[in-house]
Amino acid sequence: MKILVTGGTGYIGSHTVVELQHAGFDVVIVDALFNSKEEVVDNIAKITGIRPEFEVFDLTDRAKTDDFFRRHQDLVGIIHFAAHKAVGDSVQHPIKYYRNNLDSLMNILEGMTTYGIPNLVFSSSCTVYGQADQLPVSESAPIKKAESPYGNTKQIAEEIISDTVHVNNIRAIALRYFNPIGAHDSGLIGELPNGVPDNLLPYITQTAYGIREQLKVFGDDYNTPDGTPIRDYIHVVDLAKAHVKAVQRMTDNTMKQAFEVFNLGTGNGYSVLEVIKAFERATGMTINYKIVGRREGDIEQIWADPSYSNAELGWKAERTLDEMVASAWKWEQHYRKE
Ligand code: NAD
Ligand code: WQD
C-alpha cells in the first residue's frame, strides 16, 4: 500500500516516513525543500534500509500536483504535512501562509476527488483551541478565534476538509498536535529550524551547543506553579506512530465518521523551567537562561486529553520528557558534526 507524504523531508514528516516504512507501507515523498534538505531522504534510507520515492515540487502548483496524481493513481492515502509553520512570520506575511497552506490543501483534495484517492490525514494543531477554558482539552472543546494567520490556516483547513468529505466520499482524519519535540533515536533525522529558532527545544539545544548565547524565558508571572507557561510536549516518534495508526484506521475501514479529529498529546503538562531542568538532568549541562517579558500571543497553559485517541486509535504516547530532550540533544550534536 502506497502513501503520499507531503512535507516528508520536514521534521514530523521524515519521522513519519520511517514509521510508515517500518509498518510495511511504500512511501512517496513530495517536498519543495522550502524548509528541509534533500539529504533527509538519504538518512531515512540509512535508518530503514529503504529509499522512499521522492519528488521535489511546490504543491501550490495546480498543474504539477495534478500531473503527480495522474502518475500515482495507486495511492491508498495521503498524509499532508506540507505547510509553512512559523507563527510570527505568518503575522508579517499572512498571504504567504494562506496561499501556501490552503492552496496546497485544495490541490490535494482536488486530486483525491479526480483520481479517486480515498484517505487523507491532515496535520492540524492544538493552536485551534487557543487558551482553552477547560484543561485538559478534549476534541470537543470550542475552537477559539485564531491568534495568528498560521493558526487560522489550520482552522480553515479543517473546515475545507469537513466540507469536502461530505461531497466527495473522501475520508479524512485531522490530527491536532500539541508540542512535538525530540528526534529519532539514531540521531540521523530531527528538527532543522531556519535561522534563529522560535520554538523552545531548538533554542535550548542551540544554546547548549554554543550557537546561541542565552535562552530567554518569556515570562515567569503566569498563573502556573512556577510562573512559566505549561505545554504538552510530545516525542516526535510517538507522534509519527500515531499517523500510522490513523492510516490503518482508514484502510481497515474502522472510522466512525467521514471526518474525524484526534488530539495528539501525552496528557502531561510541563512548564518552561521544567523542560530546562529536564534537559540539564538528561545531559549534565547547564543552560544559560534569563527571565524576560512575556512573548506576545503566548497562551498560559494547555495540555491534551488524549483519552479519545488512546481508545480509538489504539495509540498512546510512551516516551518521557527526559527521553525527548536527550534525543533532541543527540540530534543537535550529530547535525552540527555533519
Ligand atoms: P517542517 O517545516 O519541518 O516540514 C514541512 C515541510 O513541508 C518542509 O519540508 C517544507 O519544505 C514542505 N513544504 C511546505 N510548503 C510546501 C509546498 N507548498 N509544497 C511542497 N512542500 C512544501 O514542519 P513540521 O514541524 O514537520 O510540520 C509539519 C506539519 O505539522 C505542518 O503542517 C505544521 O503546520 C504542522 N504542525 C507542526 C507543529 C510543530 O510544532 N512542529 C505543531 C502542530 C502542527
Ligand atoms: C513553548 C514555550 C514559550 C522559546 C508553537 C505554535 C503552535 C505549535 C507549536 C504549530 C512557550 C517558551 C519559547 C524561547 C521561551 N506549532 N519559550 N523561550 O508557542 O507553545 O507553540 O509551536 O502548530 O501553533 O504557536 O511553542 O516552542 O514556541 O514555546 O520561553 O526562546 O516556551 O513562551 O511558553 P508554542 P514554543
Side-chain angles (χ1 to χ4, degrees), residues 277-318:
K277 277 186 209 130
F279 185 87
E280 293 183 334
R281 198 166 51 232
T283 62
M285 302 178 77
T286 303
I287 294 294
N288 176 18
Y289 74 87
K290 75 168 175 194
I291 310 285
V292 300
R294 292 182 178 197
R295 182 171 70 176
E296 205 187 330
D298 270 353
I299 57 163
E300 184 169 276
Q301 47 188 328
I302 189 162
W303 63 93
D305 175 354
S307 54
Y308 187 63
S309 9
N310 295 166
E312 287 294 321
L313 292 178
W315 163 88
K316 199 173 187 320
E318 286 169 349

Side-chain angles (χ1 to χ4, degrees), residues 6-13 30-36 57-60 80-85 100 104 123-126 150 154 177-180 191 199:
T6 77
T9 45
Y11 173 44
I12 306 171
V30 170
D31 201 299
L33 302 175
F34 292 152
N35 197 33
S36 57
F57 69 89
D58 181 345
L59 288 152
T60 65
H80 183 40
F81 290 104
H84 294 320
K85 64 166 182 177
N100 192 58
S104 60
S123 298
S124 190
S125 169
C126 71
Y150 165 74
K154 293 298 176 191
Y177 314 153
F178 281 66
N179 286 55
E191 190 170 6
N199 297 114

Side-chain angles (χ1 to χ4, degrees), residues 3 14 29 60 75 84 100 123-124 131 133 143 147 160 174 177 183 188 192 194 196 202 210 239 268 274 299:
I3 307 292
S14 56
I29 295 174
T60 65
L75 290 170
H84 294 320
N100 192 58
S123 298
S124 190
Q131 178 58 69
D133 301 323
I143 302 297
E147 308 243 359
I160 292 173
Y177 314 153
L188 288 168
L192 261 182
N194 240 336
V196 183
L239 195 78
N268 302 313
E274 285 175 317
I299 57 163

Side-chain angles (χ1 to χ4, degrees), residues 85 87 124-128 148 150-151 154 177-181 197-204 215-219 222 228-231 233 272 276 292 294-295 297-300 302:
K85 64 166 182 177
V87 175
S124 190
S125 169
C126 71
T127 190
V128 302
S148 70
Y150 165 74
K154 293 298 176 191
Y177 314 153
F178 281 66
N179 286 55
I181 59 170
D198 289 324
N199 297 114
L200 180 62
L201 238 292
Y203 212 106
I204 290 178
L215 168 73
K216 296 181 193 67
V217 172
F218 298 132
Y222 287 92
T228 63
I230 293 175
R231 300 287 184 270
Y233 297 94
V272 175
I276 295 171
V292 300
R294 292 182 178 197
R295 182 171 70 176
D298 270 353
I299 57 163
E300 184 169 276
I302 189 162

Side-chain angles (χ1 to χ4, degrees), residues 104-177:
S104 60
L105 173 68
M106 288 188 288
N107 289 342
I108 282 165
L109 288 168
E110 207 162 45
M112 291 174 73
T113 57
T114 306
Y115 297 102
I117 300 157
N119 301 311
L120 175 70
V121 178
F122 176 72
S123 298
S124 190
S125 169
C126 71
T127 190
V128 302
Y129 298 120
Q131 178 58 69
D133 301 323
Q134 277 192 326
L135 292 171
V137 64
S138 73
E139 290 82 353
S140 57
I143 302 297
K144 294 277 177 70
K145 183 175 168 15
E147 308 243 359
S148 70
Y150 165 74
N152 208 19
T153 67
K154 293 298 176 191
Q155 296 190 4
I156 296 169
E158 286 196 13
E159 288 176 0
I160 292 173
I161 295 169
S162 168
D163 289 344
T164 309
V165 291
H166 294 304
V167 179
N168 286 314
N169 285 327
I170 292 171
R171 289 170 298 199
I173 291 179
L175 299 175
R176 292 179 180 158
Y177 314 153

